[in-house]
């Protein structure tokens, strides 16, 4: 999916350049190509009321906004898929870790699920940090294997939070 996101970035930059150059013919050509390229992926991109070769700069600006939204949607989907895999592998590790007693395993799995729930909340920077700080302390009290699993999840959540303004 990173390849797709990089491709969308190129097309967003193409839109920016076309808008800046403000060459009508290039804008129309760019719009036609991008509409054809993304028509089956982005619902709001249709042939702009059936128009062909009859576009304006504002149509390109609208299309660029749709591309930015599509990129964000794909980035979030990719993040959630990777986080789900990370959480699943961490839970499996804890379940299969022979040196952890049963009640501790239950508590650790609950902690991982709590982290997953936090990742789904729409928190501002301070509230997210406050919520995760508790789990960082908890991770530091665990052995290195378990602690590193918890920290990996926390770090992934924080990295996405920092990057989500870029998507």
């Amino acid at each position: 999916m990173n390849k797709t996101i990089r491709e969308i970035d190129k097309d967003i930059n193409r839109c920016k350049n076309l808008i800046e150059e403000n060459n009508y013919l290039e804008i129309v050509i760019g719009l036609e190509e991008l509409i054809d390229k993304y028509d089956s992926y982005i619902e709001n991109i249709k042939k702009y009321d059936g128009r062909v070769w009859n576009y304006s700069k504002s149509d390109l600006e609208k299309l660029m906004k749709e591309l930015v939204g599509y990129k964000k949607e794909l980035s979030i989907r990719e993040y959630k898929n990777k986080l789900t895999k990370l959480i699943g592998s961490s839970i499996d590790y804890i379940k299969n870790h022979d040196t952890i007693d049963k009640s501790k395993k239950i508590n650790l799995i609950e902690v991982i699920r709590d982290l997953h729930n936090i990742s789904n909340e729409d928190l501002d920077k301070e509230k997210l940090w406050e919520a995760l700080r508790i789990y960082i302390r908890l991770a530091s009290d665990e052995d290195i294997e378990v602690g590193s699993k918890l920290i990996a999840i926390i770090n992934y959540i924080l990295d996405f939070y920092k990057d989500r303004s870029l998507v």
Side-chain angles (χ1 to χ4, degrees):
M1 192 165 320
N2 282 335
K3 181 180 175 186
T4 304
I5 292 172
R6 283 192 302 271
E7 186 68 27
I8 294 170
D9 276 335
K10 286 180 187 177
D11 290 333
I12 290 169
N13 286 331
R14 180 180 181 195
C15 289
K16 288 177 184 175
N17 291 336
L18 289 171
I19 290 168
E20 187 177 299
E21 292 171 10
N22 200 22
N23 178 320
Y24 177 74
L25 181 61
E26 292 299 320
I27 288 173
V28 171
I29 291 169
L31 271 162
E32 285 288 330
E33 291 174 357
L34 293 170
I35 289 169
D36 287 343
K37 182 175 182 178
Y38 291 102
D39 190 31
S40 60
Y41 300 105
I42 304 174
E43 189 164 327
N44 291 338
I45 295 180
K46 299 298 177 208
K47 286 288 185 182
Y48 287 72
D49 302 322
R51 294 180 285 161
V52 178
W53 289 90
N54 186 17
Y55 299 106
S56 68
K57 185 177 177 179
S58 67
D59 291 322
L60 183 60
E61 290 166 343
K62 290 176 191 172
L63 178 76
M64 187 173 79
K65 286 180 184 175
E66 292 293 335
L67 290 175
V68 169
Y70 182 55
K71 175 188 170 193
K72 183 176 182 176
E73 177 186 317
L74 289 179
S75 297
I76 290 170
R77 191 179 314 152
E78 180 179 18
Y79 160 76
K80 287 184 176 190
N81 287 340
K82 286 182 179 180
L83 182 61
T84 299
K85 288 178 185 176
L86 181 60
I87 285 172
S89 68
S90 298
I91 289 173
D92 288 344
Y93 176 83
I94 289 168
K95 283 181 179 178
N96 297 322
H97 201 290
D98 295 334
T99 61
I100 302 174
D101 67 55
K102 188 174 180 174
S103 65
K104 178 111 177 170
K105 285 182 183 184
I106 292 169
N107 289 337
L108 288 170
I109 290 170
E110 187 63 30
V111 164
I112 292 171
R113 289 194 174 122
D114 288 346
L115 288 169
H116 192 204
N117 291 338
I118 290 169
S119 75
N120 289 324
E121 293 179 26
D122 188 21
L123 301 172
D124 67 31
K125 181 172 66 171
E126 294 304 318
K127 289 189 188 282
L128 178 71
W129 182 241
E130 185 179 317
L132 292 177
R133 192 180 340 211
I134 298 164
Y135 296 98
I136 292 170
R137 288 185 195 120
L138 190 141
S140 69
D141 291 336
E142 297 299 324
D143 66 39
I144 191 166
E145 289 86 11
V146 173
S148 65
K149 298 287 182 192
L150 296 175
I151 289 173
I153 295 168
I154 293 165
N155 192 49
Y156 191 73
I157 294 168
L158 288 170
D159 282 347
F160 180 73
Y161 176 84
K162 289 187 302 188
D163 292 342
R164 76 179 175 182
S165 63
L166 303 176
V167 295

